[in-house]
Amino acid sequence: MATETATVNVVTADALLKSWQGHRRLTRRVIDAFPEEKLFQFSVGGMRPFSEMAWEFIRMAVPIVDGVATGKWEEFNKGEKPTTKSEILRLWDEQTAALDKKFPEIPPHRFYEVDKAFGQWEMPGIITIQYAIDNEIHHRGQGYVYLRALGIEPPPFWERD
Amino acid sequence: MATETATVNVVTADALLKSWQGHRRLTRRVIDAFPEEKLFQFSVGGMRPFSEMAWEFIRMAVPIVDGVATGKWEEFNKGEKPTTKSEILRLWDEQTAALDKKFPEIPPHRFYEVDKAFGQWEMPGIITIQYAIDNEIHHRGQGYVYLRALGIEPPPFWERD
């Protein structure tokens, strides 16, 4: 790669947070598009229901940002596994606010520093954060198939406001 | 956001290209995991078969990088819509090599410059590129559901080599 382009900064920390929160607004709409019962019980091909995927996103987002920020990797401990859509959405909104507060507290050097996330996954902080975002996009896409299979029009992919 | 963290460079152009090519290697494995006929005919919930999604990724990747690099937005014109898996994979590999060649030729200022992609979508170059990557992750996740519904184990999401 031409050196000039190779090293150019294309994403700043605040741009990454904005992009992630845009994805999270869309994911929230996907959660909300499911009828209560289907959110917890419906799936295709023997996969998990979408409530389990949403619960995974909740357990990853803030604990990963905390781990990258502090080097302390602690499992999500802000609530039990939700059993209703409103409880998922309440936890979701709490984590959204926590992300806005905590992400800016990541010390700049920690984005590059290699650490072992949750004692298992060894990579630079930015790669761990990007993995959480990509994982959310990946499984949310699966939620779109569930909604289509239920005859429900999913929210537009390109709307992030 | 604390100013120090807000403006820190978390993704360089070469890191973004490496991440995208990692995703593309995974997408190629997902294409290849489909039996020939299912790739073109199977879907869930009235959605497109995965061949159509792969064809969309092919038509987006290099034309978007060309557009961001040059300001000229031209539709993909390097081949007709493929009708076999081997033809999709051949086009895929061509575009992978073209990306490696063309991405480094994006002038640094073009990542930030607002342009109207294909005369329609007005945003900075980096946002257009990120959209193409996110769109690939999103629809590839849908391909995972198709594979599961077919009783086929998809390739591991975390393997990008």
Side-chain angles (χ1 to χ4, degrees), chain A residues 82-103:
Chain A
T83 57
T84 64
K85 179 157 84 176
S86 64
E87 178 61 9
I88 292 179
L89 293 177
R90 192 190 63 74
L91 274 173
W92 191 266
D93 294 340
E94 272 182 18
Q95 301 312 298
T96 298
L99 270 186
D100 275 336
K101 180 177 177 297
K102 293 179 168 198
F103 197 100

PDB file of all heavy atoms in Angstrom, chain A residues 82-103:
ATOM      1  N   PRO A  82     -32.989 -11.330  30.625  1.00  0.00           N
ATOM      2  CA  PRO A  82     -34.361 -10.816  30.583  1.00  0.00           C
ATOM      3  C   PRO A  82     -35.341 -11.842  30.025  1.00  0.00           C
ATOM      4  O   PRO A  82     -34.978 -12.672  29.196  1.00  0.00           O
ATOM      5  CB  PRO A  82     -34.268  -9.620  29.624  1.00  0.00           C
ATOM      6  CG  PRO A  82     -32.846  -9.501  29.213  1.00  0.00           C
ATOM      7  CD  PRO A  82     -32.110 -10.715  29.630  1.00  0.00           C
ATOM      8  N   THR A  83     -36.571 -11.753  30.488  1.00  0.00           N
ATOM      9  CA  THR A  83     -37.618 -12.676  30.035  1.00  0.00           C
ATOM     10  C   THR A  83     -38.762 -11.950  29.326  1.00  0.00           C
ATOM     11  O   THR A  83     -39.736 -12.586  28.940  1.00  0.00           O
ATOM     12  CB  THR A  83     -38.186 -13.473  31.232  1.00  0.00           C
ATOM     13  OG1 THR A  83     -38.671 -12.529  32.195  1.00  0.00           O
ATOM     14  CG2 THR A  83     -37.123 -14.343  31.882  1.00  0.00           C
ATOM     15  N   THR A  84     -38.641 -10.629  29.198  1.00  0.00           N
ATOM     16  CA  THR A  84     -39.655  -9.870  28.458  1.00  0.00           C
ATOM     17  C   THR A  84     -38.953  -8.886  27.520  1.00  0.00           C
ATOM     18  O   THR A  84     -37.805  -8.486  27.755  1.00  0.00           O
ATOM     19  CB  THR A  84     -40.566  -9.046  29.394  1.00  0.00           C
ATOM     20  OG1 THR A  84     -39.755  -8.059  30.060  1.00  0.00           O
ATOM     21  CG2 THR A  84     -41.254  -9.924  30.424  1.00  0.00           C
ATOM     22  N   LYS A  85     -39.677  -8.496  26.465  1.00  0.00           N
ATOM     23  CA  LYS A  85     -39.107  -7.521  25.530  1.00  0.00           C
ATOM     24  C   LYS A  85     -38.835  -6.201  26.228  1.00  0.00           C
ATOM     25  O   LYS A  85     -37.779  -5.592  26.013  1.00  0.00           O
ATOM     26  CB  LYS A  85     -40.065  -7.315  24.348  1.00  0.00           C
ATOM     27  CG  LYS A  85     -39.550  -6.305  23.344  1.00  0.00           C
ATOM     28  CD  LYS A  85     -40.167  -6.496  21.975  1.00  0.00           C
ATOM     29  CE  LYS A  85     -41.506  -5.834  21.825  1.00  0.00           C
ATOM     30  NZ  LYS A  85     -42.039  -5.946  20.449  1.00  0.00           N
ATOM     31  N   SER A  86     -39.747  -5.771  27.088  1.00  0.00           N
ATOM     32  CA  SER A  86     -39.540  -4.467  27.730  1.00  0.00           C
ATOM     33  C   SER A  86     -38.300  -4.486  28.621  1.00  0.00           C
ATOM     34  O   SER A  86     -37.582  -3.480  28.720  1.00  0.00           O
ATOM     35  CB  SER A  86     -40.782  -4.037  28.523  1.00  0.00           C
ATOM     36  OG  SER A  86     -40.994  -4.937  29.580  1.00  0.00           O
ATOM     37  N   GLU A  87     -38.026  -5.640  29.219  1.00  0.00           N
ATOM     38  CA  GLU A  87     -36.821  -5.745  30.056  1.00  0.00           C
ATOM     39  C   GLU A  87     -35.547  -5.704  29.190  1.00  0.00           C
ATOM     40  O   GLU A  87     -34.549  -5.078  29.557  1.00  0.00           O
ATOM     41  CB  GLU A  87     -36.889  -7.030  30.886  1.00  0.00           C
ATOM     42  CG  GLU A  87     -35.677  -7.302  31.762  1.00  0.00           C
ATOM     43  CD  GLU A  87     -35.407  -6.228  32.819  1.00  0.00           C
ATOM     44  OE1 GLU A  87     -36.238  -5.311  33.024  1.00  0.00           O
ATOM     45  OE2 GLU A  87     -34.330  -6.310  33.437  1.00  0.00           O
ATOM     46  N   ILE A  88     -35.587  -6.369  28.031  1.00  0.00           N
ATOM     47  CA  ILE A  88     -34.448  -6.289  27.107  1.00  0.00           C
ATOM     48  C   ILE A  88     -34.226  -4.834  26.692  1.00  0.00           C
ATOM     49  O   ILE A  88     -33.093  -4.328  26.724  1.00  0.00           O
ATOM     50  CB  ILE A  88     -34.678  -7.156  25.852  1.00  0.00           C
ATOM     51  CG1 ILE A  88     -34.678  -8.647  26.207  1.00  0.00           C
ATOM     52  CG2 ILE A  88     -33.582  -6.879  24.799  1.00  0.00           C
ATOM     53  CD1 ILE A  88     -34.916  -9.563  25.012  1.00  0.00           C
ATOM     54  N   LEU A  89     -35.295  -4.142  26.321  1.00  0.00           N
ATOM     55  CA  LEU A  89     -35.154  -2.763  25.837  1.00  0.00           C
ATOM     56  C   LEU A  89     -34.683  -1.828  26.949  1.00  0.00           C
ATOM     57  O   LEU A  89     -33.898  -0.901  26.702  1.00  0.00           O
ATOM     58  CB  LEU A  89     -36.478  -2.269  25.230  1.00  0.00           C
ATOM     59  CG  LEU A  89     -36.890  -2.995  23.941  1.00  0.00           C
ATOM     60  CD1 LEU A  89     -38.251  -2.492  23.450  1.00  0.00           C
ATOM     61  CD2 LEU A  89     -35.839  -2.830  22.836  1.00  0.00           C
ATOM     62  N   ARG A  90     -35.107  -2.104  28.176  1.00  0.00           N
ATOM     63  CA  ARG A  90     -34.661  -1.269  29.304  1.00  0.00           C
ATOM     64  C   ARG A  90     -33.153  -1.451  29.527  1.00  0.00           C
ATOM     65  O   ARG A  90     -32.402  -0.483  29.644  1.00  0.00           O
ATOM     66  CB  ARG A  90     -35.439  -1.652  30.580  1.00  0.00           C
ATOM     67  CG  ARG A  90     -35.268  -0.659  31.738  1.00  0.00           C
ATOM     68  CD  ARG A  90     -35.835  -1.188  33.055  1.00  0.00           C
ATOM     69  NE  ARG A  90     -35.155  -2.395  33.521  1.00  0.00           N
ATOM     70  CZ  ARG A  90     -33.926  -2.429  34.060  1.00  0.00           C
ATOM     71  NH1 ARG A  90     -33.234  -1.319  34.202  1.00  0.00           N
ATOM     72  NH2 ARG A  90     -33.404  -3.584  34.453  1.00  0.00           N
ATOM     73  N   LEU A  91     -32.706  -2.711  29.525  1.00  0.00           N
ATOM     74  CA  LEU A  91     -31.273  -2.983  29.655  1.00  0.00           C
ATOM     75  C   LEU A  91     -30.513  -2.363  28.481  1.00  0.00           C
ATOM     76  O   LEU A  91     -29.426  -1.805  28.644  1.00  0.00           O
ATOM     77  CB  LEU A  91     -31.013  -4.493  29.658  1.00  0.00           C
ATOM     78  CG  LEU A  91     -31.112  -5.224  30.989  1.00  0.00           C
ATOM     79  CD1 LEU A  91     -30.986  -6.727  30.765  1.00  0.00           C
ATOM     80  CD2 LEU A  91     -30.022  -4.744  31.953  1.00  0.00           C
ATOM     81  N   TRP A  92     -31.087  -2.500  27.277  1.00  0.00           N
ATOM     82  CA  TRP A  92     -30.455  -1.966  26.072  1.00  0.00           C
ATOM     83  C   TRP A  92     -30.188  -0.469  26.243  1.00  0.00           C
ATOM     84  O   TRP A  92     -29.080   0.019  25.982  1.00  0.00           O
ATOM     85  CB  TRP A  92     -31.365  -2.210  24.854  1.00  0.00           C
ATOM     86  CG  TRP A  92     -30.669  -1.936  23.566  1.00  0.00           C
ATOM     87  CD1 TRP A  92     -30.685  -0.760  22.857  1.00  0.00           C
ATOM     88  CD2 TRP A  92     -29.837  -2.838  22.843  1.00  0.00           C
ATOM     89  NE1 TRP A  92     -29.915  -0.882  21.739  1.00  0.00           N
ATOM     90  CE2 TRP A  92     -29.387  -2.146  21.704  1.00  0.00           C
ATOM     91  CE3 TRP A  92     -29.422  -4.157  23.050  1.00  0.00           C
ATOM     92  CZ2 TRP A  92     -28.540  -2.744  20.763  1.00  0.00           C
ATOM     93  CZ3 TRP A  92     -28.580  -4.746  22.126  1.00  0.00           C
ATOM     94  CH2 TRP A  92     -28.150  -4.041  21.006  1.00  0.00           C
ATOM     95  N   ASP A  93     -31.218   0.259  26.691  1.00  0.00           N
ATOM     96  CA  ASP A  93     -31.092   1.715  26.816  1.00  0.00           C
ATOM     97  C   ASP A  93     -30.090   2.092  27.909  1.00  0.00           C
ATOM     98  O   ASP A  93     -29.337   3.062  27.760  1.00  0.00           O
ATOM     99  CB  ASP A  93     -32.466   2.337  27.086  1.00  0.00           C
ATOM    100  CG  ASP A  93     -33.403   2.164  25.886  1.00  0.00           C
ATOM    101  OD1 ASP A  93     -32.904   1.933  24.764  1.00  0.00           O
ATOM    102  OD2 ASP A  93     -34.636   2.249  26.075  1.00  0.00           O
ATOM    103  N   GLU A  94     -30.060   1.320  28.967  1.00  0.00           N
ATOM    104  CA  GLU A  94     -29.048   1.548  30.011  1.00  0.00           C
ATOM    105  C   GLU A  94     -27.638   1.387  29.449  1.00  0.00           C
ATOM    106  O   GLU A  94     -26.740   2.186  29.732  1.00  0.00           O
ATOM    107  CB  GLU A  94     -29.199   0.509  31.128  1.00  0.00           C
ATOM    108  CG  GLU A  94     -30.158   0.876  32.236  1.00  0.00           C
ATOM    109  CD  GLU A  94     -30.193  -0.211  33.320  1.00  0.00           C
ATOM    110  OE1 GLU A  94     -29.250  -1.050  33.396  1.00  0.00           O
ATOM    111  OE2 GLU A  94     -31.173  -0.217  34.066  1.00  0.00           O
ATOM    112  N   GLN A  95     -27.455   0.327  28.639  1.00  0.00           N
ATOM    113  CA  GLN A  95     -26.119   0.068  28.093  1.00  0.00           C
ATOM    114  C   GLN A  95     -25.730   1.124  27.060  1.00  0.00           C
ATOM    115  O   GLN A  95     -24.560   1.472  26.920  1.00  0.00           O
ATOM    116  CB  GLN A  95     -26.056  -1.341  27.480  1.00  0.00           C
ATOM    117  CG  GLN A  95     -26.364  -2.457  28.468  1.00  0.00           C
ATOM    118  CD  GLN A  95     -25.598  -2.322  29.767  1.00  0.00           C
ATOM    119  OE1 GLN A  95     -24.373  -2.360  29.785  1.00  0.00           O
ATOM    120  NE2 GLN A  95     -26.304  -2.138  30.869  1.00  0.00           N
ATOM    121  N   THR A  96     -26.725   1.632  26.325  1.00  0.00           N
ATOM    122  CA  THR A  96     -26.462   2.706  25.360  1.00  0.00           C
ATOM    123  C   THR A  96     -25.905   3.938  26.067  1.00  0.00           C
ATOM    124  O   THR A  96     -24.909   4.525  25.630  1.00  0.00           O
ATOM    125  CB  THR A  96     -27.767   3.062  24.604  1.00  0.00           C
ATOM    126  OG1 THR A  96     -28.196   1.907  23.877  1.00  0.00           O
ATOM    127  CG2 THR A  96     -27.554   4.217  23.637  1.00  0.00           C
ATOM    128  N   ALA A  97     -26.544   4.301  27.179  1.00  0.00           N
ATOM    129  CA  ALA A  97     -26.076   5.461  27.950  1.00  0.00           C
ATOM    130  C   ALA A  97     -24.694   5.180  28.551  1.00  0.00           C
ATOM    131  O   ALA A  97     -23.810   6.054  28.549  1.00  0.00           O
ATOM    132  CB  ALA A  97     -27.082   5.795  29.047  1.00  0.00           C
ATOM    133  N   ALA A  98     -24.492   3.951  29.029  1.00  0.00           N
ATOM    134  CA  ALA A  98     -23.199   3.595  29.626  1.00  0.00           C
ATOM    135  C   ALA A  98     -22.085   3.652  28.578  1.00  0.00           C
ATOM    136  O   ALA A  98     -20.959   4.100  28.862  1.00  0.00           O
ATOM    137  CB  ALA A  98     -23.274   2.199  30.263  1.00  0.00           C
ATOM    138  N   LEU A  99     -22.398   3.216  27.361  1.00  0.00           N
ATOM    139  CA  LEU A  99     -21.399   3.281  26.283  1.00  0.00           C
ATOM    140  C   LEU A  99     -20.991   4.721  26.011  1.00  0.00           C
ATOM    141  O   LEU A  99     -19.800   5.026  25.840  1.00  0.00           O
ATOM    142  CB  LEU A  99     -21.968   2.698  24.985  1.00  0.00           C
ATOM    143  CG  LEU A  99     -21.799   1.225  24.701  1.00  0.00           C
ATOM    144  CD1 LEU A  99     -22.301   0.918  23.294  1.00  0.00           C
ATOM    145  CD2 LEU A  99     -20.342   0.779  24.849  1.00  0.00           C
ATOM    146  N   ASP A 100     -21.989   5.604  25.939  1.00  0.00           N
ATOM    147  CA  ASP A 100     -21.693   7.021  25.665  1.00  0.00           C
ATOM    148  C   ASP A 100     -20.807   7.620  26.750  1.00  0.00           C
ATOM    149  O   ASP A 100     -20.004   8.513  26.490  1.00  0.00           O
ATOM    150  CB  ASP A 100     -22.998   7.823  25.550  1.00  0.00           C
ATOM    151  CG  ASP A 100     -23.575   7.764  24.143  1.00  0.00           C
ATOM    152  OD1 ASP A 100     -22.812   7.521  23.190  1.00  0.00           O
ATOM    153  OD2 ASP A 100     -24.804   7.960  24.003  1.00  0.00           O
ATOM    154  N   LYS A 101     -20.980   7.135  27.964  1.00  0.00           N
ATOM    155  CA  LYS A 101     -20.174   7.646  29.072  1.00  0.00           C
ATOM    156  C   LYS A 101     -18.770   7.021  29.088  1.00  0.00           C
ATOM    157  O   LYS A 101     -17.769   7.697  29.308  1.00  0.00           O
ATOM    158  CB  LYS A 101     -20.897   7.344  30.387  1.00  0.00           C
ATOM    159  CG  LYS A 101     -20.148   7.822  31.624  1.00  0.00           C
ATOM    160  CD  LYS A 101     -20.956   7.562  32.891  1.00  0.00           C
ATOM    161  CE  LYS A 101     -20.147   7.990  34.118  1.00  0.00           C
ATOM    162  NZ  LYS A 101     -18.904   7.179  34.265  1.00  0.00           N
ATOM    163  N   LYS A 102     -18.720   5.700  28.851  1.00  0.00           N
ATOM    164  CA  LYS A 102     -17.462   4.981  29.081  1.00  0.00           C
ATOM    165  C   LYS A 102     -16.509   4.964  27.894  1.00  0.00           C
ATOM    166  O   LYS A 102     -15.292   4.933  28.073  1.00  0.00           O
ATOM    167  CB  LYS A 102     -17.787   3.540  29.500  1.00  0.00           C
ATOM    168  CG  LYS A 102     -18.456   3.509  30.872  1.00  0.00           C
ATOM    169  CD  LYS A 102     -18.804   2.094  31.297  1.00  0.00           C
ATOM    170  CE  LYS A 102     -19.184   2.102  32.786  1.00  0.00           C
ATOM    171  NZ  LYS A 102     -19.114   0.762  33.367  1.00  0.00           N
ATOM    172  N   PHE A 103     -17.059   4.940  26.681  1.00  0.00           N
ATOM    173  CA  PHE A 103     -16.192   4.856  25.505  1.00  0.00           C
ATOM    174  C   PHE A 103     -15.165   5.997  25.469  1.00  0.00           C
ATOM    175  O   PHE A 103     -13.974   5.757  25.201  1.00  0.00           O
ATOM    176  CB  PHE A 103     -17.058   4.845  24.231  1.00  0.00           C
ATOM    177  CG  PHE A 103     -16.349   4.375  23.004  1.00  0.00           C
ATOM    178  CD1 PHE A 103     -16.500   3.072  22.537  1.00  0.00           C
ATOM    179  CD2 PHE A 103     -15.532   5.235  22.278  1.00  0.00           C
ATOM    180  CE1 PHE A 103     -15.839   2.631  21.394  1.00  0.00           C
ATOM    181  CE2 PHE A 103     -14.868   4.812  21.141  1.00  0.00           C
ATOM    182  CZ  PHE A 103     -15.032   3.512  20.693  1.00  0.00           C
TER     183      PHE A 103
END
